Amino acid sequence: MKESSDTTILQALQERAAAMPAGTALTAPHRPDASYADLIDTMRSIGSQLRGAGVMRGDTVAIVLPNGPEAGSAFLAVSSVAAAAPLNPGYRENEFDFYLADLNAKAMLVPAGIQGPAVAAAMNRGVRILEVDVDPSQPAGCFTLHGLSNGQVSLNDTCRCDDTALILHTSGTTSRPKMVPLTHRNLCASAAHIRASLNLTPADRCLNVMPLFHIHGLIAALLSSLTAGASVACTPGFIATDFLGWLGSMKPTWYTAVPTMHQAIAARADEQPDAARRAKLRFVRSSSSALPPQVMARIESLFDCPMIEAYGMTEASHQMCCNPLPPAARKPGSVGIAAGPRVAIMNARGVLLPCGQMGEIVIQGPNVTQGYLANADANASAFIAGWFRTGDQGYLDDQGYLFLTGRLKELINRGGEKIAPREIDEALLDHPAVAQAVAFAMKHAALGEEVAAAVVLKEGARATESDLRRFAAERLADFKVPRRIVLLDAIPKGPTGKLQRIGLAEKLGVIDEAPAPARPAFSPPATSLEILLAQVWEQVLQVPQIGREDHFFQLGGDSIQAARVATLMQQFTGTSLAMVAFLETPILHEMAAALERQEIAESHEPYVASRLAEVESLSDEQARAQLIRAKQ
């Protein structure tokens, strides 16, 4: 095979077809297998039809097809003559309208006979609609096009290695989505990197459950396998209830998925452990978002094979790092060593950092895009001194293993304290009742952002928000303990199954600025400890006449003020007040009772009384405030 940097997708697959024409390329449920010869025939036939429809090199063709073998072969065929732009079939009409306009699409492929938002948007935009007609008796991935008037033309002018083969949009969570053009050179290089990382051979078969409008499925599952001479079992998408059955019927040697899918697979495999063991997988791969170590350990135990965590993104044609296969070391919590491009850590001034120091992850290499389309501002901020800025934060250890600490845009900025959500996820996942956890930022009037988390419990398990906060408080610094934990049946995910932290607070209606409930009628503190605590609250919160039924947070308290109260109470009583006490016992008399349970009242009553007397001996509020400030 030619060097990956000097070939196109069509050329790479033609070489495979010449070497093994009868070898299986694509398989799918209830369909005959497609050989490499079948695949090349389909690619060349569809390419000729597109040329006959006036689609030329440099044009863009949108693909709106359900997951399955035709979604894969359509991408391969379109890329041979133009730029393929797979779109999520689940978009609404206004979304299709935006993407078709942004892409300046020349044509769009849709299933034959379909009517819906994609077709409506294409008609409004004057984009030519080409229908994909599938005969279920034909090999997987084989199809013909309807909607052509000029038939086929000789396919002599195929794409070159520096032509754009694929255009994908970034998610656009916080701004307008950006178009990422990837050349044949980029994609073939990335496929070669993945082949090498996983030691793929013609004996392998990948079970693809990833969407084929996403870089993970297109390159990690599809292209890496086919350029290795291996086969791809194409499913209609991720269906947890069917997964173990597919393992049994299609007999893959590996699969690749995102962590949320692995969690769902583990839950099913727990119910059918014998079916999981019978799968005889060589390895399992995870990518596209951080893999909790608990999930890694569970998958390895269930399938009795190594789980390989990799690190990828669209702008890198997917793979950047990968944990090596045994017998080399796999490090839980790490996304592995550089597996294709160069990987480095850079500080905010553009200086590369040594091992062990945290900063932004930057990359460069043949698989990295040369820049976003029609977006000079994004390119100016994305590239620095020849390096592409990933927007991720992490560090390299002394063996070159990369550890991610968070997405820079996802870090929770709590009063200037930067908190990595992944650390909170992993702490909550240690709770025996928790199946999934995702931490995120919620707005806070005083701090800017505060920590929140969404949790899905295991089937049949029980835990309250209070239970989980207390559990987190035993494992995390006080300022990292989630202020809110929302218990859900399912956590909202993006179209590819990834958890999306940005905007999750708004989706879930988690806010910290709701109008405070009416303050309870004043009830005077009843014990010396309650009186002392009320005096401290008054000074720190700047709220007069605090009663025993008042609620710390409803009076405007926040975590910083809680820390000040805890410091004062430590000085007055000699005993620490844990931050979790503010979460679990925010009402004044409850907090005092919690302190009493620490035997403060019994062992320190004379000390508390003397301090209280000292406060009450002052004649006015200003003098009291001076005393309390002096203790801070």
Side-chain angles (χ1 to χ4, degrees):
M1 182 179 288
K2 293 181 182 179
E3 290 295 322
S4 60
S5 60
D6 297 322
T7 192
T8 67
I9 292 171
L10 177 60
Q11 290 168 343
L13 297 182
Q14 283 177 324
E15 289 186 30
R16 280 298 177 189
M20 45 185 298
T24 300
L26 300 176
T27 185
H30 314 300
R31 297 285 296 279
D33 293 348
S35 67
Y36 273 83
D38 293 330
L39 179 60
I40 293 301
D41 286 346
T42 297
M43 290 176 65
R44 294 193 67 84
S45 173
I46 298 303
S48 295
Q49 292 178 64
L50 290 171
R51 279 285 183 267
V55 174
M56 308 302 291
R57 283 177 56 212
D59 288 337
T60 301
V61 177
I63 301 172
V64 185
L65 295 174
N67 231 44
E70 285 71 42
S73 59
F75 156 65
L76 299 172
V78 170
S79 71
S80 68
V81 295
L87 298 176
N88 182 353
Y91 284 146
R92 296 179 177 84
E93 184 176 338
N94 65 315
E95 293 172 307
F96 279 118
D97 183 74
F98 167 80
Y99 288 116
L100 292 175
D102 210 34
L103 292 163
N104 191 26
K106 184 75 170 285
M108 181 178 70
L109 272 58
V110 297
I114 194 172
Q115 297 294 322
V119 171
M123 292 178 66
N124 289 338
R125 285 277 168 193
V127 176
R128 187 167 188 175
I129 299 169
L130 303 175
E131 295 189 330
V132 171
D133 189 21
V134 179
D135 180 350
S137 68
Q138 293 299 303
C142 295
F143 65 94
T144 57
L145 289 179
H146 291 172
L148 300 170
S149 55
N150 301 328
Q152 299 190 29
V153 299
S154 177
L155 188 60
N156 296 319
D157 184 26
T158 56
C159 288
R160 287 78 185 272
C161 62
D162 286 321
D163 286 342
T164 297
L166 176 65
I167 300 176
L168 295 173
H169 281 81
T170 58
S171 61
T173 303
T174 57
S175 60
R176 177 188 173 94
K178 300 184 286 288
M179 287 186 288
V180 183
L182 299 168
T183 66
H184 286 264
R185 189 187 300 277
N186 294 149
L187 299 183
C188 289
S190 190
H193 299 158
I194 297 166
R195 289 198 311 269
S197 298
L198 304 177
N199 192 25
L200 297 180
T201 73
D204 282 305
R205 172 169 293 176
C206 177
L207 179 68
N208 179 52
V209 293
M210 289 299 300
L212 289 173
F213 54 79
H214 187 260
I215 195 73
H216 186 157
L218 290 169
I219 308 306
L222 183 73
L223 193 59
S224 69
S225 294
L226 294 177
T227 56
S231 59
V232 182
C234 300
T235 74
F238 179 64
I239 306 173
T241 53
D242 292 346
F243 184 83
L244 292 176
W246 290 333
L247 291 182
S249 62
M250 292 194 273
K251 302 190 184 311
T253 60
W254 67 289
Y255 76 89
T256 183
V258 298
T260 52
M261 292 179 181
H262 291 304
Q263 289 174 314
I265 290 166
R268 288 290 168 182
D270 277 335
E271 300 169 0
Q272 304 177 58
D274 290 342
R277 290 297 179 95
R278 285 197 299 270
K280 298 190 184 305
L281 297 173
R282 183 163 70 88
F283 63 89
V284 173
R285 182 179 184 273
S286 184
S287 189
S288 297
S289 58
L291 177 70
Q294 299 93 331
V295 179
M296 178 180 181
R298 191 71 193 120
I299 290 290
E300 290 195 337
S301 173
L302 286 165
F303 291 106
D304 193 25
C305 69
M307 177 169 240
I308 306 301
E309 184 174 8
Y311 172 44
M313 67 185 306
T314 301
E315 290 88 338
S317 305
H318 187 52
Q319 184 165 283
M320 296 176 279
C321 293
C322 186
N323 271 281
L325 288 163
R330 299 186 320 284
K331 295 189 178 184
S334 167
V335 293
I337 56 177
R342 292 180 61 200
V343 177
I345 307 297
M346 182 178 285
N347 67 15
R349 300 187 302 278
V351 177
L352 296 181
L353 301 174
C355 292
Q357 291 196 23
M358 190 180 301
E360 183 174 9
I361 300 160
V362 293
I363 58 172
Q364 57 181 209
N367 56 315
V368 181
T369 184
Q370 294 301 298
Y372 300 106
L373 286 178
N375 200 327
D377 290 343
N379 289 330
S381 61
F383 293 89
I384 180 169
W387 294 89
F388 177 80
R389 303 174 61 182
T390 65
D392 290 326
Q393 184 187 71
Y395 64 93
L396 290 162
D397 71 8
D398 56 5
Q399 294 179 307
Y401 283 75
L402 179 65
F403 290 80
L404 302 179
T405 55
R407 184 88 182 142
L408 290 174
K409 290 182 180 178
E410 292 177 348
L411 293 179
I412 301 167
N413 187 352
R414 182 188 167 282
E417 189 79 49
K418 301 294 180 22
I419 302 168
R422 181 177 178 178
E423 181 183 0
I424 299 161
D425 295 353
E426 293 179 3
L428 290 170
L429 283 167
D430 279 335
H431 192 286
V434 173
Q436 293 183 40
V438 56
F440 56 92
M442 68 177 184
K443 292 180 180 178
H444 187 278
L447 300 170
E449 291 180 340
E450 182 58 281
V451 183
V455 166
V456 176
L457 299 180
K458 294 176 181 176
E459 189 171 351
R462 298 187 65 181
T464 65
E465 179 180 359
S466 176
D467 295 335
L468 297 175
R469 277 205 307 263
R470 189 179 298 109
F471 183 85
E474 295 172 355
R475 289 156 176 79
L476 297 168
D478 288 339
F479 68 90
K480 297 179 182 179
V481 176
R483 170 81 169 270
R484 289 283 310 278
I485 296 179
V486 184
L487 299 176
L488 302 171
D489 293 330
I491 297 172
K493 304 175 183 67
T496 63
K498 290 172 61 176
L499 296 171
Q500 296 182 318
R501 302 180 198 274
I502 297 175
L504 191 55
E506 289 75 16
K507 286 181 182 178
L508 298 179
V510 179
I511 58 174
D512 195 60
E513 297 175 341
R519 190 174 174 186
F522 177 72
S523 176
T527 69
S528 61
L529 194 57
E530 286 182 13
I531 294 169
L532 177 60
L533 193 57
Q535 293 281 353
V536 172
W537 280 25
E538 286 179 12
Q539 171 58 28
V540 172
L541 299 177
Q542 294 293 295
V543 173
Q545 202 177 36
I546 286 177
R548 67 191 311 266
E549 299 296 336
D550 276 322
H551 188 295
F552 182 79
F553 294 112
Q554 289 176 5
L555 292 174
D558 57 38
S559 299
I560 289 176
Q561 290 167 320
R564 292 175 62 198
V565 170
T567 299
L568 284 167
M569 293 305 292
Q570 166 76 25
Q571 293 172 353
F572 283 149
T573 68
T575 302
S576 62
L577 179 63
M579 195 63 63
V580 73
F582 290 86
L583 299 171
E584 302 301 332
T585 57
I587 297 173
L588 186 127
H589 74 85
E590 293 177 347
M591 190 177 294
L595 286 168
E596 288 174 3
R597 285 194 293 272
Q598 297 179 51
E599 297 182 344
I600 292 173
E602 190 172 310
S603 61
H604 294 86
E605 180 68 29
Y607 182 75
V608 172
S610 67
R611 285 295 189 181
L612 181 60
E614 185 179 4
V615 173
E616 292 179 334
S617 68
L618 297 172
S619 58
D620 56 41
E621 293 299 321
Q622 183 177 9
R624 292 189 191 187
Q626 288 174 352
L627 172 64
I628 294 177
R629 277 198 297 270
K631 305 299 182 186
Q632 296 186 47

